[in-house]
Amino acid sequence: MTGTVLLVEDNELNREMLKRRLKRAGFTVITACDGQQALDLMCSDLPAVVLMDMSLPVLDGWTACRLARQDDRIRQIPIIALTAHALEEDRERAMEAGCDDYATKPVDFPALLEKIRALATA
């Protein structure tokens, strides 16, 4: 499985660790550190899947997801929320914001890969 994954994560250690693991799994990885960068890269690079941290500077993940779903150019790109918020209402909030799936931190990488592969081929 190959394809481009946009990894949106403001924590450098988390971003670099996930980027390395995704590359080893065969993905091309582009990164953003905030929600505005994420929207810009979604429009310019049209990734197969977006992994969106929800607690971001400049423009948070919740808002970035809502804006992506309103933009005809990128509304179809699958978004997986990545968050430390692990309550059921947090999952519901992510889905209401426009996410297609949800993963909690610390990341269960094999489960995340399954979600990416399922959404990238949908």
Side-chain angles (χ1 to χ4, degrees):
M1 170 71 197
T2 58
T4 300
V5 174
L6 170 55
L7 172 60
V8 188
E9 170 64 67
D10 63 326
N11 179 291
E12 185 177 358
L13 290 175
N14 290 345
R15 187 174 59 247
E16 290 306 312
M17 180 272 300
L18 275 172
K19 181 179 177 180
R20 279 193 308 273
R21 293 186 80 182
L22 289 164
K23 282 186 169 189
R24 278 197 303 264
F27 294 98
T28 300
V29 182
I30 54 176
T31 61
C33 300
D34 65 60
Q36 186 58 57
Q37 282 182 332
L39 288 173
D40 293 344
L41 285 169
M42 287 174 77
C43 289
S44 64
D45 291 47
L46 300 174
V49 176
V50 176
L51 302 178
M52 179 79 72
D53 182 14
M54 302 313 276
S55 300
L56 295 167
V58 183
L59 186 66
D60 66 47
W62 314 105
T63 305
C65 287
R66 283 188 189 91
L67 291 171
R69 294 305 178 227
Q70 295 170 10
D71 189 324
D72 289 339
R73 299 169 295 173
I74 57 175
R75 73 167 17 122
Q76 79 290 349
I77 298 173
I79 301 172
I80 300 172
L82 289 181
T83 181
H85 303 284
L87 300 175
E88 181 58 31
E89 51 265 18
D90 296 315
R91 183 183 197 292
E92 291 170 9
R93 183 176 175 213
M95 300 312 232
E96 287 170 7
C99 293
D100 297 281
D101 210 331
Y102 177 89
T104 57
K105 296 177 187 177
V107 173
D108 174 346
F109 194 71
L112 181 62
L113 278 180
E114 284 183 35
K115 292 176 187 215
I116 292 169
R117 288 181 175 129
L119 288 170
T121 58

